[in-house]
Amino acid sequence: MEFELTTVKEISETSRKYNLHSWSAQGQLKPKVMIGGEGVYFWDGEGKRYYDMSSQLVNLNIGHGNKKVIKAIQDQAERLAYSSPSFAIDVRSQLAKMVVELAPDNMGKVFFTLGGADANENALKIAKMVTGRYKIFSRYRSYHGSTYGAANLTGEPRRYTCEPGIPGFIKFFDPYVYRAPLPFPSEEAACSYYLGQLREQIIYEGRDAVAAIFLETITGSNGVIIPPRGYLKGIRDLCNEFGILMVCDEVMTGWGRTGEWFAVSNFAVKPDIITFAKGITCGYAPLGGVLVSKAIAAYFDEHFLSCGLTYSAHPLGCAAGIATIEYYKEKGLIGQAKERGITLGKLLETLKEKHDCVGDVRYIGLFSAIELVKNKVTKQPFVEYGLDPDKTMKKVIGMLDAKGFYTYSHENSLLVAPPLIITDQELEDALSIMDDVLNDVDKMLD
Ligand SMILES: Cc1ncc(COP(=O)(O)O)c(C=O)c1O
């Protein structure tokens, strides 16, 4: 294959002319050209090197250029590039077995999708089919995908274009303790407040009306909000009390990001359904899925599963998934994420101590965020929720970018979630760039 577009300028300009890019007004866009990547680094069209400190979209857990996964996709393309999902094929069967065996032990079967949003779409349908109910609870500070159902699950502003929404989709408040309206004396006190409110809300909606509570096990793009101790167990108890299905969205947190195969294992909780995507193939091929409990799997022995996608369990995705899981195991990357997370946590705490602009740092495994404030004592946000007319956060991202630190932000938070293969030294070097930039952000405070 020969590339028609040879110069960096040509690639960028052609992209501006013909590609519609996500989540942006198109006119002012100047898409960065990426020419390649290796490990935790990638290079732009000018040959400048970046630390990929968001693992692209928190999916590239094994880093760029992984030869094992590339080879597995190549081999699968030669053997059998496509088969309709109704066929049993070796990689499809094998990956399903691997996924179920790595999941909490109450899980029984998996339905494969192409990504996270369609995993949540299918989880929504499954929850409604199994319970015969239609109300769905999810949280305000959440992102569950951009297709219509997943966007209705989503609580943050990316939901607005899909409103007026689907009837029966109800939002509740997150246990975002750093910004709680009350100064809770303990994590337990925070849990009893938030869970108490939720219990009341469920009752007001009808004790037997709610099909499912969807929640990101750890809120991801909305600021890496880690639930207080006991919160997820409390959600499990509420679900048991009212016959509601607990659905954990592990699209971002699954596959080692938090130092466990699935983030629920950090909290010893077993949901009824887990959705996943991203780290199952690390973006080398599109794949997601819906894991269902043994009880739900048994339900569909007798009942019709009204779900289907032409590319469900695509052979290239399945081959990539098997190779990715094998790679995680061979390199011990899940345990390594936990260990490196200790280094990352120390570095982040130092940044918080040092910089006036850092209000909070939150981290677990290699999943973390730095929340910026105008005033550390009052916690005045660096930009108000949903309002950043001067594009201040974009400027901060630009300052990081200029120094070769690639990541993205949401509201006040800078995401730090490097590939799980990162070394301690690379972490220190990258975070020293962050330190430099935060010095400049300190100077931007009034
Ligand atoms: C928690 C969560 N759920 C769902 C999605 C949607 O996944 P996708 O973009 O693969 O559709 C994302 C994407 O970032 C996510 O972070």
Side-chain angles (χ1 to χ4, degrees):
M1 184 170 68
E2 272 191 28
F3 284 108
E4 282 183 21
L5 307 177
T6 49
T7 67
V8 168
K9 194 160 169 269
E10 240 184 313
I11 296 168
S12 186
E13 281 176 3
T14 309
S15 183
R16 281 189 61 175
K17 191 164 173 196
Y18 293 107
N19 288 124
L20 280 171
H21 288 266
S22 317
W23 310 116
S24 330
Q26 308 292 307
Q28 299 301 314
L29 282 182
K30 288 198 188 76
K32 192 194 286 301
V33 173
M34 190 196 268
I35 55 165
E38 188 64 46
V40 300
Y41 305 106
F42 70 87
W43 286 265
D44 72 11
E46 271 76 49
K48 179 176 162 188
R49 192 184 80 166
Y50 296 81
Y51 284 96
D52 192 341
M53 293 305 283
S54 62
S55 306
Q56 294 298 293
L57 294 176
V58 199
N59 59 332
L60 202 74
N61 294 2
I62 57 172
H64 296 265
N66 185 289
K67 300 278 183 296
K68 180 183 174 93
V69 180
I70 294 167
K71 176 87 172 45
I73 297 168
Q74 286 169 336
D75 290 349
Q76 184 61 41
E78 292 281 349
R79 283 197 311 124
L80 181 67
Y82 179 72
S83 91
S84 141
S86 58
F87 290 92
I89 62 170
D90 52 2
V91 285
R92 190 169 279 158
S93 306
Q94 190 184 336
L95 183 64
K97 182 168 184 277
M98 287 169 98
V99 168
V100 170
E101 285 176 358
L102 289 170
D105 62 11
N106 66 320
M107 289 294 156
K109 285 188 179 176
V110 58
F111 177 78
F112 285 116
T113 63
L114 283 98
D118 54 341
N120 285 323
E121 295 288 348
N122 284 285
L124 278 168
K125 289 171 67 176
I126 288 171
K128 288 185 169 186
M129 283 184 261
V130 170
T131 61
R133 303 173 177 182
Y134 78 96
K135 292 197 180 180
I136 303 285
F137 273 52
S138 59
R139 298 186 299 197
Y140 279 106
R141 292 190 68 94
S142 68
Y143 180 69
H144 294 288
S146 76
T147 52
Y148 212 85
N152 269 265
L153 272 180
T154 294
E156 49 113 311
R158 282 179 278 184
R159 140 177 75 104
Y160 299 160
T161 41
C162 291
E163 293 189 320
I166 302 170
F169 279 57
I170 292 142
K171 300 291 175 293
F172 63 102
F173 282 98
D174 312 72
Y176 184 14
V177 177
Y178 178 68
R179 295 216 166 271
L182 307 166
F184 295 116
S186 65
E187 292 193 36
E188 288 73 16
C191 282
S192 76
Y193 171 78
Y194 286 106
L195 293 166
Q197 292 279 51
L198 177 58
R199 188 171 187 282
E200 211 171 321
Q201 214 182 337
I202 291 168
I203 290 169
Y204 290 148
E205 290 297 333
R207 286 170 193 271
D208 53 5
V210 183
I213 296 177
F214 275 72
L215 68 178
E216 291 172 74
T217 308
I218 294 163
T219 299
S221 52
N222 279 258
V224 185
I225 302 168
I226 301 167
R229 218 178 5 260
Y231 178 80
L232 291 175
K233 159 95 177 41
I235 297 276
R236 179 69 274 177
D237 292 344
L238 282 176
C239 287
N240 292 348
E241 182 181 353
F242 293 102
I244 298 169
L245 296 179
M246 179 175 182
V247 184
C248 284
D249 178 338
E250 294 247 1
V251 169
M252 212 175 244
T253 53
W255 306 108
R257 177 53 56 194
T258 70
E260 296 284 347
W261 286 101
F262 292 96
V264 285
S265 302
N266 292 296
F267 308 97
V269 170
K270 294 178 186 175
D272 300 292
I273 296 178
I274 294 176
T275 57
F276 63 84
K278 298 195 186 261
I280 175 88
T281 54
C282 296
Y284 283 70
L287 192 76
V290 186
L291 263 163
V292 301
S293 67
K294 290 178 181 136
I296 294 176
Y299 175 88
F300 286 111
D301 284 342
E302 305 302 330
H303 296 83
F304 189 76
L305 177 71
S306 183
C307 297
L309 301 161
T310 299
Y311 299 133
S312 178
H314 194 285
L316 300 185
C318 290
I322 292 168
T324 304
I325 292 175
E326 282 174 358
Y327 190 80
Y328 284 135
K329 287 184 177 170
E330 283 161 21
K331 300 289 173 190
L333 287 184
I334 311 302
Q336 187 168 305
K338 195 168 271 190
E339 256 175 55
R340 295 275 184 278
I342 298 170
T343 308
L344 175 62
K346 284 184 190 148
L347 293 166
L348 291 172
E349 291 292 350
T350 309
L351 294 179
K352 179 175 159 188
E353 189 110 326
K354 181 170 168 194
H355 294 285
D356 290 341
C357 65
V358 177
D360 197 20
V361 289
R362 295 180 286 271
Y363 47 89
I364 179 166
L366 287 172
F367 196 35
S368 72
I370 299 174
E371 178 161 344
L372 301 182
V373 288
K374 280 202 172 138
N375 184 312
K376 230 172 170 138
V377 180
T378 64
K379 299 185 185 173
Q380 185 189 352
F382 193 64
V383 295
E384 293 296 331
Y385 189 83
L387 284 182
D388 187 8
D390 302 330
K391 303 211 178 337
T392 318
M393 287 304 285
K394 210 169 167 197
K395 279 180 205 151
V396 176
I397 289 296
M399 288 150 69
L400 285 164
D401 197 81
K403 291 182 189 283
F405 186 116
Y406 176 82
T407 189
Y408 59 94
S409 66
H410 188 83
E411 299 296 335
N412 286 329
S413 292
L414 300 169
L415 186 87
V416 182
L420 311 186
I421 55 168
I422 197 164
T423 63
D424 275 337
Q425 188 60 53
E426 286 165 337
L427 260 180
E428 280 173 30
D429 293 347
L431 272 280
S432 79
I433 299 178
M434 175 64 83
D435 187 18
D436 274 356
V437 168
L438 292 175
N439 281 329
D440 294 333
V441 178
D442 282 340
K443 291 180 200 142
M444 289 162 72
L445 303 178
D446 299 335

Short mmCIF file of all heavy atoms in Angstrom, two decimals, residues 57 114-120 143-147 150 158 216 218 220-221 249-253 275 277-278 287 408, ligand 1:
data_model
loop_
_atom_site.label_atom_id
_atom_site.label_comp_id
_atom_site.label_asym_id
_atom_site.label_seq_id
_atom_site.Cartn_x
_atom_site.Cartn_y
_atom_site.Cartn_z
N LEU A 57 -6.79 7.05 25.13
CA LEU A 57 -8.06 7.29 25.85
C LEU A 57 -8.22 6.28 26.99
O LEU A 57 -9.24 5.62 27.13
CB LEU A 57 -9.24 7.23 24.88
CG LEU A 57 -9.26 8.35 23.83
CD1 LEU A 57 -10.40 8.17 22.84
CD2 LEU A 57 -9.37 9.73 24.49
N LEU A 114 -18.33 -4.05 20.30
CA LEU A 114 -17.16 -3.43 19.65
C LEU A 114 -16.46 -2.41 20.53
O LEU A 114 -15.36 -1.98 20.22
CB LEU A 114 -17.57 -2.77 18.34
CG LEU A 114 -17.77 -3.79 17.25
CD1 LEU A 114 -19.24 -4.12 17.11
CD2 LEU A 114 -17.20 -3.30 15.97
N GLY A 115 -17.14 -1.95 21.57
CA GLY A 115 -16.56 -0.93 22.42
C GLY A 115 -17.40 -0.76 23.66
O GLY A 115 -18.26 -1.61 23.98
N GLY A 116 -17.18 0.37 24.35
CA GLY A 116 -17.83 0.58 25.63
C GLY A 116 -19.28 1.00 25.53
O GLY A 116 -20.13 0.51 26.28
N ALA A 117 -19.59 1.91 24.61
CA ALA A 117 -20.96 2.40 24.53
C ALA A 117 -21.93 1.28 24.19
O ALA A 117 -22.98 1.12 24.83
CB ALA A 117 -21.06 3.52 23.49
N ASP A 118 -21.58 0.47 23.21
CA ASP A 118 -22.50 -0.61 22.83
C ASP A 118 -22.52 -1.72 23.88
O ASP A 118 -23.50 -2.47 23.98
CB ASP A 118 -22.24 -1.13 21.40
CG ASP A 118 -20.82 -1.57 21.15
OD1 ASP A 118 -19.93 -1.17 21.91
OD2 ASP A 118 -20.58 -2.31 20.18
N ALA A 119 -21.46 -1.82 24.69
CA ALA A 119 -21.53 -2.75 25.83
C ALA A 119 -22.62 -2.26 26.79
O ALA A 119 -23.47 -3.04 27.25
CB ALA A 119 -20.18 -2.83 26.53
N ASN A 120 -22.62 -0.96 27.06
CA ASN A 120 -23.65 -0.42 27.97
C ASN A 120 -25.05 -0.49 27.36
O ASN A 120 -26.03 -0.74 28.06
CB ASN A 120 -23.29 1.01 28.39
CG ASN A 120 -22.16 1.01 29.41
OD1 ASN A 120 -22.10 0.12 30.27
ND2 ASN A 120 -21.26 1.97 29.32
N TYR A 143 -19.69 9.07 32.77
CA TYR A 143 -19.70 8.97 31.31
C TYR A 143 -19.81 7.49 30.96
O TYR A 143 -19.02 6.67 31.43
CB TYR A 143 -18.43 9.56 30.69
CG TYR A 143 -18.45 9.46 29.18
CD1 TYR A 143 -19.34 10.22 28.43
CD2 TYR A 143 -17.61 8.57 28.51
CE1 TYR A 143 -19.41 10.10 27.06
CE2 TYR A 143 -17.66 8.45 27.12
CZ TYR A 143 -18.56 9.22 26.41
OH TYR A 143 -18.64 9.10 25.04
N HIS A 144 -20.83 7.16 30.16
CA HIS A 144 -21.04 5.75 29.80
C HIS A 144 -21.03 5.53 28.29
O HIS A 144 -21.35 4.43 27.84
CB HIS A 144 -22.36 5.25 30.39
CG HIS A 144 -22.38 5.20 31.89
ND1 HIS A 144 -21.68 4.26 32.62
CD2 HIS A 144 -23.00 5.98 32.82
CE1 HIS A 144 -21.88 4.46 33.92
NE2 HIS A 144 -22.67 5.50 34.07
N GLY A 145 -20.72 6.57 27.50
CA GLY A 145 -20.66 6.38 26.05
C GLY A 145 -21.55 7.38 25.35
O GLY A 145 -22.37 8.07 25.97
N SER A 146 -21.40 7.48 24.02
CA SER A 146 -22.06 8.57 23.30
C SER A 146 -23.21 8.11 22.41
O SER A 146 -23.82 8.93 21.75
CB SER A 146 -21.03 9.33 22.47
OG SER A 146 -20.71 8.57 21.34
N THR A 147 -23.51 6.81 22.36
CA THR A 147 -24.70 6.40 21.62
C THR A 147 -25.93 6.75 22.45
O THR A 147 -25.81 7.11 23.62
CB THR A 147 -24.65 4.89 21.33
OG1 THR A 147 -24.40 4.21 22.56
CG2 THR A 147 -23.55 4.55 20.34
N ALA A 150 -26.54 4.95 25.92
CA ALA A 150 -25.39 5.18 26.79
C ALA A 150 -25.28 6.66 27.16
O ALA A 150 -24.89 7.01 28.28
CB ALA A 150 -24.11 4.70 26.11
N ARG A 158 -22.08 15.74 28.35
CA ARG A 158 -22.13 15.06 27.05
C ARG A 158 -23.48 14.36 26.84
O ARG A 158 -23.75 13.83 25.78
CB ARG A 158 -20.95 14.08 26.92
CG ARG A 158 -19.65 14.79 26.59
CD ARG A 158 -18.48 13.85 26.47
NE ARG A 158 -17.91 13.50 27.75
CZ ARG A 158 -16.84 12.73 27.92
NH1 ARG A 158 -16.22 12.22 26.87
NH2 ARG A 158 -16.36 12.47 29.12
N GLU A 216 -19.94 3.63 37.23
CA GLU A 216 -18.53 3.35 37.00
C GLU A 216 -17.98 2.93 38.36
O GLU A 216 -18.18 3.65 39.35
CB GLU A 216 -17.80 4.60 36.51
CG GLU A 216 -18.19 5.05 35.12
CD GLU A 216 -17.57 6.41 34.79
OE1 GLU A 216 -16.36 6.47 34.53
OE2 GLU A 216 -18.30 7.41 34.78
N ILE A 218 -15.08 3.05 39.55
CA ILE A 218 -14.41 4.29 39.97
C ILE A 218 -14.69 5.28 38.84
O ILE A 218 -14.40 4.99 37.67
CB ILE A 218 -12.89 4.07 40.10
CG1 ILE A 218 -12.61 3.11 41.26
CG2 ILE A 218 -12.16 5.40 40.31
CD1 ILE A 218 -11.23 2.51 41.24
N GLY A 220 -14.39 7.67 36.06
CA GLY A 220 -13.17 7.86 35.28
C GLY A 220 -12.97 9.25 34.76
O GLY A 220 -12.39 10.11 35.42
N SER A 221 -13.51 9.51 33.55
CA SER A 221 -13.18 10.78 32.91
C SER A 221 -13.71 11.98 33.70
O SER A 221 -13.21 13.08 33.57
CB SER A 221 -13.68 10.82 31.46
OG SER A 221 -15.03 10.48 31.40
N ASP A 249 -19.77 -0.39 35.28
CA ASP A 249 -19.13 -0.03 34.02
C ASP A 249 -17.62 0.00 34.28
O ASP A 249 -17.11 0.87 34.97
CB ASP A 249 -19.66 1.34 33.57
CG ASP A 249 -19.00 1.83 32.28
OD1 ASP A 249 -17.89 1.36 31.95
OD2 ASP A 249 -19.59 2.71 31.63
N GLU A 250 -16.92 -1.01 33.74
CA GLU A 250 -15.47 -1.11 33.92
C GLU A 250 -14.76 -0.86 32.59
O GLU A 250 -13.67 -1.40 32.34
CB GLU A 250 -15.11 -2.49 34.49
CG GLU A 250 -15.64 -2.70 35.89
CD GLU A 250 -14.54 -2.82 36.94
OE1 GLU A 250 -13.35 -2.72 36.59
OE2 GLU A 250 -14.90 -3.01 38.11
N VAL A 251 -15.40 -0.06 31.75
CA VAL A 251 -14.79 0.22 30.44
C VAL A 251 -13.41 0.86 30.63
O VAL A 251 -12.45 0.50 29.95
CB VAL A 251 -15.73 1.11 29.59
CG1 VAL A 251 -15.03 1.62 28.35
CG2 VAL A 251 -16.99 0.32 29.21
N MET A 252 -13.32 1.78 31.58
CA MET A 252 -12.03 2.42 31.82
C MET A 252 -11.22 1.72 32.90
O MET A 252 -10.00 1.62 32.83
CB MET A 252 -12.27 3.88 32.22
CG MET A 252 -11.18 4.81 31.77
SD MET A 252 -11.59 6.52 32.12
CE MET A 252 -11.70 7.21 30.49
N THR A 253 -11.91 1.21 33.93
CA THR A 253 -11.19 0.69 35.09
C THR A 253 -10.80 -0.78 34.96
O THR A 253 -9.98 -1.26 35.74
CB THR A 253 -12.06 0.84 36.37
OG1 THR A 253 -13.33 0.23 36.12
CG2 THR A 253 -12.25 2.29 36.73
N THR A 275 -19.64 -4.26 32.44
CA THR A 275 -19.34 -3.92 31.05
C THR A 275 -17.86 -3.54 30.96
O THR A 275 -17.30 -2.98 31.90
CB THR A 275 -20.22 -2.77 30.54
OG1 THR A 275 -20.06 -1.63 31.38
CG2 THR A 275 -21.68 -3.18 30.51
N ALA A 277 -14.35 -2.73 27.91
CA ALA A 277 -13.88 -2.51 26.53
C ALA A 277 -12.38 -2.16 26.62
O ALA A 277 -11.64 -2.90 27.27
CB ALA A 277 -14.68 -1.40 25.84
N LYS A 278 -12.00 -1.06 26.06
CA LYS A 278 -10.64 -0.48 26.14
C LYS A 278 -9.51 -1.51 26.36
O LYS A 278 -8.98 -2.06 25.41
CB LYS A 278 -10.63 0.59 27.22
CG LYS A 278 -11.60 1.76 26.87
CD LYS A 278 -11.35 2.98 27.70
CE LYS A 278 -12.38 4.07 27.49
NZ LYS A 278 -11.98 5.13 26.61
N LEU A 287 -13.04 -3.88 20.55
CA LEU A 287 -13.75 -4.95 21.26
C LEU A 287 -14.25 -4.45 22.61
O LEU A 287 -13.56 -3.69 23.28
CB LEU A 287 -12.83 -6.16 21.50
CG LEU A 287 -13.53 -7.44 21.96
CD1 LEU A 287 -14.26 -8.13 20.81
CD2 LEU A 287 -12.54 -8.43 22.59
N TYR A 408 -5.27 14.46 28.76
CA TYR A 408 -6.44 15.32 28.56
C TYR A 408 -7.05 15.68 29.91
O TYR A 408 -6.67 15.13 30.95
CB TYR A 408 -7.45 14.71 27.59
CG TYR A 408 -8.05 13.37 27.97
CD1 TYR A 408 -9.25 13.28 28.64
CD2 TYR A 408 -7.42 12.18 27.60
CE1 TYR A 408 -9.82 12.06 28.95
CE2 TYR A 408 -7.98 10.95 27.91
CZ TYR A 408 -9.18 10.89 28.59
OH TYR A 408 -9.74 9.68 28.89
C1 LIG B 1 -16.58 4.48 31.81
C2 LIG B 1 -16.80 4.50 30.34
N1 LIG B 1 -17.87 3.87 29.82
C3 LIG B 1 -18.11 3.85 28.50
C4 LIG B 1 -17.27 4.50 27.62
C5 LIG B 1 -17.57 4.47 26.14
O1 LIG B 1 -16.69 3.63 25.50
P1 LIG B 1 -16.49 3.75 23.90
O2 LIG B 1 -15.88 5.08 23.64
O3 LIG B 1 -15.60 2.57 23.58
O4 LIG B 1 -17.83 3.60 23.29
C6 LIG B 1 -16.15 5.17 28.11
C7 LIG B 1 -15.24 5.88 27.19
O5 LIG B 1 -14.38 6.61 27.56
C8 LIG B 1 -15.91 5.17 29.50
O6 LIG B 1 -14.87 5.82 30.02
#
